[in-house]
Amino acid sequence: MPRVLALIAAVLAACSEPHVAPQMQSKVAPIADGNADAIAAPGLRLPPGVTPLAYDLRLEVDPTAEAFTGHVAIRVRLDAATDHVWIHADELDIRSASWNDGPLSTIAVPGDQMIAFGFGRRVAPGEVTLAFDYVGHTAHDQEGLFRQSSDDRWYMFSQGESTLARRIVPCFDEPGFKTPWRVTVVAPVRDVALSNMPQTAEHVLPDGRREIAFAETPAMPSYLLAIAVGPFALVDAGTVGRAHVPVRVAALAGQASQVGVVAKHLPAIVAALEKYTDDALPWPKLDLVVVPKLFGAMENPGLVTFAEHLIVGDPPGDFVRVAAHELAHFWFGDLVTHAWWNDLWLAEAFASWLGDRTAASLGAASPVDDALARRRALEADALATAVPLRRIVTSNDDPDNSFDDTEYDKGKAVLATFEHWVGDAVFRTAVLAYLRDHRGATATTEDFARALGAAAGPEIAAAFVGYVDHAGVPVLDLELDCASGAAKLVAHARDHLAIPACFRVARDGAPACALVGDHTELPLASCPAWTQSMGGYYVVSWRGARPADPPRAQLSIGQRVQLGEDIELAVRRGELAPTAALPELRSLAGPELGASVSAAAIARAIDPLVADDDRPVWRRWLAARFAARLQPATLLESGELAGHLADQLIELVGADQLPASIRKAARDRAVRDLARRITPDASVVAAASGDRALFDRIAALASRDPDWTPDPLEMFGPELAPAAVELALGPLPSAQSVAVLSAYLHRAATRAAMWAALRPQLRALLAHVEPSDAVSLLDATGALCDATSRAEVSAAFEPELGQIPDGRDHLDRALATIDVCIAARARAADLAAALH
């Protein structure tokens, strides 16, 4: 969550996404009758036997217009004789289709975002060229080709990841197809046009538009195809890297003087990445493009897009970390591409690991950042819905759903675990071999495991694959045995994993380490007074007496953040009663920052298990424990860790436990931000969560402005749950409205109120939202936690399952998740008494 710094500063000073058009299916103008009886739809993936060899794409665009036109010629290889070919196209109006010998016919067999075209006869193996003329639309923000305005000027951008290139051009839209692209853009004469490669030619057409041609790209997957068109101010940012790659910033009009952060920091970022990979930046030019509203940044080779706030002004910390991540993708994802979306982690985890490693070397990241990333990963991995790094992909929605804390933070933590275990030099040997062996091609989990095994041994490779395919937090059962003569730690790794583990003990000089399997004994010199896990992505469950934690004075702040993880995760697994966790929470909560973060994590694990009637007592109890951290002076403490804690405490204790001056300052700050068209911080909204007027003001902006995010609406209190349901039935786009409702259901303090408001309107809501969003809403009801709500969920959704994709499976999972929570809450039945 964002910081509360601004609102607290205001108190101290006083005291001294978009409307989305209806979804369109791809349409093809009738060309000729095809033989629909001869073929069947291939399912999610294109059938084998046809390989794209080269694309020649011409796009005619105008950022002020909603539609664009395109022509693409695709040279393909047919591996076997065939009379038809399947190709991806989504929400495109294909006006003509042809091949070397004449028109292509459309075959009336519906595919999953793909179309079958018939040749009119059986064609022998060999090369042919397919050609398509079509019209596309910029109907979705930040998807495919999309438009945004800034200061009444219009810009057009592309976003192809994950399965969105098919909204830009008919293509073979799978990451396993790496193909050269030759791109030509026709744009208004006043606009700048950019693509992945350097410009090679341009001329003015008779109608006054400019035609700009770009050099052919190296082989790359379709999702990395990129263009940007608009009245950009191009800023020369010098050159970077061993090859002296030229760098420009495509700033929005009027921002040319505000993007100096690039020239200041990018050379060092590239130098550090090149040093680790022992390889020059693998692209001939680099444009960094400013986008007014973007989810973050996108690693299109040669044309990296950045959200405006990351690059305009002077945000060196954010820019360095994000730029290091995106440019790390030039090797992990762009140069070596995951063969299929199930292995997306090979791109995101490696970019997170190497990007943060690079940022840390430049002073823009710290061990505290690693500790917070680890905490995010553990929380995601502790959920009943936890998924492995290597995913199962069954729909076109699954790749986009994979961009989460598991893929980024868990992936980074797993890589760091094995890097620490085998040593930096050995791990780098494996990484460089992997990059060398698959340069310009694709790779799988097994490919990296082979490189790691060659460098570190087959048992390490096997342990690594076990981690990649494991859903959930790895748990190490540990017992201290001091009674059998020689002191030892007896360890057992759950779920048939092999866990690389090391422990420091008070009386021993050397750590006790082992690749722990089913039964492993770690000998100790003597019985220790305390033990400390020395890192690695796993938690410990103690059997028998739990040794003391190390003295806090001996721990770094990052290590203090991790103090309560074993307790927190044991509560989340249901192995430790909340009342048994309270003593640890009491001992950690206080003025010390790192330990209080750990205490707050334990509180967050307990929070969903608190009965609704007991919640006021629980919140008052927490406010007393964390009183030292809820004062303006401590909430003002600088740094990401302090902000992380402040935001979590506001959510845990509730706005009503904050001083009135804080709540008033929060509302005043939110109103000022809205007047300046700035999205208020979620924590600022949470601190003023009962204000209906503020809710309505944010809702109005989100409803009428396609570039406005409604995220702050998720942070309002239970009394505004009915208003959120009203909004979802109104003008707010389907996905955004369901996101707000789902957030209310997931927050323990608001879930009961949201379900009470939502249930009478469920049928109307399901008829109002897209089917995929109905799935998300059903999944969110799994956050409920009482028998009455469980029965109501079952009764309410049962008659509606026919309109929800895979509705039966999703309902069964939601009910099973509720059952788990009910059982856990039963174990917390005596919590209220323990709080007095």
Side-chain angles (χ1 to χ4, degrees), residues 17-18 140-144 146-148 159 161 164 291 293-296 707:
E17 273 202 332
H140 299 273
D141 195 28
Q142 302 181 39
E143 295 182 352
F146 64 95
R147 303 182 305 139
Q148 290 183 0
Q159 175 59 34
E161 193 176 32
L164 301 171
V291 183
K293 298 285 185 180
L294 192 65
F295 49 82
D707 294 334

Side-chain angles (χ1 to χ4, degrees), residues 691-709:
D691 193 315
R692 176 62 189 260
L694 182 61
F695 179 97
D696 288 343
R697 190 164 181 174
I698 296 173
L701 277 169
S703 299
R704 68 173 181 259
D705 188 342
D707 294 334
W708 188 266
T709 172

